[in-house]
Amino acid sequence: GAVVSQHPSRVICKSGTSVKIECRSLDFQATTMFWYRQFPKQSLMLMATSNEGSKATYEQGVEKDKFLINHASLTLSTLTVTSAHPEDSSFYICSAPGLGVQETQYFGPGTRLLVL
Amino acid sequence: GQQLNQSPQSMFIQEGEDVSMNCTSSSIFNTWLWYKQDPGEGPVLLIALYKAGELTSNGRLTAQFGITRKDSFLNISASIPSDVGIYFCAGRRGGGGNKLTFGTGTQLKVEL
């Protein structure tokens, strides 16, 4: 299957700082990538759809000015959590659709964010 | 956001037992996917289903796409300790885009 990587895998930051998370498709190109957030013992909740060459599409209730998404190339999307607060602490996971007639989604390993 | 209803929420079974879990929705999906997530990692795709009524196997795993397109189930036969984890169903609607709606998850624990 297709491989998606994320960096960093874990990050601890102070309240008020910004954190950038990278999502890369390693062996395929992805014009679309997805960003999810997962709180402990909960399911994955879609935050936004990252579109190469155009603006990201955010789900209802997700602040676009707080969670900045940039799809810089066909293999890289970044999520920046701006002015992070403790309630932003979560597990952030990206995914990208695989290629082919019947598309599936492949997930990155996730980034654990802890805001102190 | 919407989530799919998954049951049971958790299971504690003996090694060697068969496991069954299901996922239901009030709306129709064109694709059903089943993922397994280990602690601290991203979900890994287990099985993908694309047609109503489709029954697909992947080793000891079998999944079916419900005829009504509103449900799916996953069976694991002869469970082993490494089956431990959280299993998520995910549905994808047609009409463009690739957004997935995830189920609430089933946590599986296997007793030796």
Side-chain angles (χ1 to χ4, degrees):
Chain A
V3 179
V4 177
S5 70
Q6 277 184 245
H7 177 80
S9 58
R10 303 171 67 93
V11 57
I12 301 173
C13 69
K14 292 182 179 180
S15 185
T17 60
S18 294
V19 174
K20 180 186 284 188
I21 303 170
E22 293 184 349
C23 178
R24 294 182 185 272
S25 56
L26 296 186
D27 51 359
F28 65 104
Q29 294 181 334
T31 57
T32 303
M33 291 183 178
F34 300 91
W35 287 96
Y36 295 82
R37 181 167 51 184
Q38 185 179 32
F39 292 108
K41 298 189 185 299
Q42 294 189 22
S43 186
L44 284 77
M45 297 300 292
L46 180 65
M47 299 175 65
T49 303
S50 174
N51 303 301
E52 192 269 336
S54 63
K55 293 182 179 180
T57 307
Y58 291 82
E59 296 300 301
Q60 192 173 8
V62 178
E63 300 175 58
K64 62 180 181 180
D65 294 329
K66 180 169 184 61
F67 298 100
L68 301 179
I69 291 173
N70 182 27
H71 202 129
S73 72
L74 289 172
T75 59
L76 173 64
S77 174
T78 60
L79 168 69
T80 301
V81 183
T82 62
S83 186
H85 292 285
E87 57 265 30
D88 297 323
S89 299
S90 188
F91 193 49
Y92 292 86
I93 314 173
C94 69
S95 73
L99 298 177
V101 176
Q102 295 179 325
E103 294 182 340
T104 56
Q105 280 198 31
Y106 298 94
F107 284 81
T111 296
R112 176 74 61 191
L113 171 63
L114 176 61
V115 185
L116 302 177
Chain B
Q2 179 194 6
Q3 285 186 318
L4 302 175
N5 295 316
Q6 214 172 317
S7 65
Q9 185 175 17
S10 65
M11 303 179 72
F12 198 6
I13 62 170
Q14 299 277 344
E15 183 180 7
E17 288 185 356
D18 296 343
V19 173
S20 184
M21 61 191 78
N22 65 57
C23 192
T24 60
S25 169
S26 57
S27 54
I28 290 173
F29 287 93
N30 287 349
T31 302
W32 285 93
L33 306 171
W34 284 92
Y35 289 89
K36 178 175 183 276
Q37 185 179 31
D38 291 328
E41 299 183 14
V44 174
L45 181 66
L46 299 175
I47 290 181
L49 302 160
Y50 301 102
K51 289 169 50 178
E54 179 181 354
L55 184 71
T56 298
S57 293
N58 178 9
R60 294 179 296 107
L61 278 61
T62 302
Q64 185 158 29
F65 193 144
I67 290 291
T68 65
R69 295 163 64 193
K70 293 183 178 180
D71 63 344
S72 178
F73 73 74
L74 174 70
N75 285 345
I76 305 173
S77 63
S79 58
I80 59 178
S82 61
D83 290 334
V84 166
I86 302 178
Y87 292 79
F88 288 103
C89 63
R92 183 172 72 91
R93 290 188 176 87
N98 239 318
K99 293 201 295 186
L100 294 181
T101 300
F102 273 81
T104 47
T106 294
Q107 182 164 28
L108 180 62
K109 299 179 182 179
V110 180
E111 185 177 61
L112 297 175

